[in-house]
Amino acid sequence: MDHEVRRTQIAEALIRVAGRRGLHAVGMRDVAAEAGVSLRLVQYYFQTKEKLLFYGLQHLTDHFTARVGARTRSPAPSVPPRHSGGRSSLTPLARA
């Protein structure tokens, strides 16, 4: 398997475990089990928990940035104007 694909698989497992248990409670063994790989393989790609966490957070940031970029490049959906029957929706506020 491609190394970057495997690192991404492990990072996504980290994100899932952190989502359930909290980032402070994530262990390399938990991530390995979630990813369906051995603890030794996780240690091969990420020698320390800190390196694993850094890569996982960077992966999450990159994914989020790509999603925001895609959304800002797509045209806004067309929303038909609301008809208020000639009255402003702020009318009740003006009466208060």
Side-chain angles (χ1 to χ4, degrees):
M1 179 177 276
D2 178 80
H3 289 290
E4 197 56 35
V5 171
R6 181 67 79 182
R7 288 171 70 84
T8 298
Q9 174 192 9
I10 295 169
E12 289 174 354
L14 165 71
I15 293 164
R16 289 191 302 272
V17 172
R20 286 194 305 269
R21 300 181 60 194
L23 199 55
H24 66 283
V26 172
M28 291 179 90
R29 190 176 310 278
D30 302 317
V31 174
E34 180 73 23
V37 300
S38 69
L39 173 60
R40 182 67 195 113
L41 191 65
V42 174
Q43 292 169 333
Y44 172 79
Y45 284 104
F46 308 98
Q47 294 76 35
T48 65
K49 180 180 174 181
E50 290 76 21
K51 289 180 181 180
L52 172 61
L53 292 173
F54 181 79
Y55 185 87
L57 293 174
Q58 186 64 52
H59 173 74
L60 187 61
T61 300
D62 293 346
H63 185 70
F64 176 76
T65 301
R67 288 182 64 194
V68 168
R71 206 163 263 200
T72 57
R73 285 188 300 274
S74 66
S78 177
V79 178
R82 286 183 45 171
H83 295 285
S84 61
R87 295 173 52 188
S88 168
S89 60
L90 297 178
T91 302
L93 294 175
R95 290 184 190 155

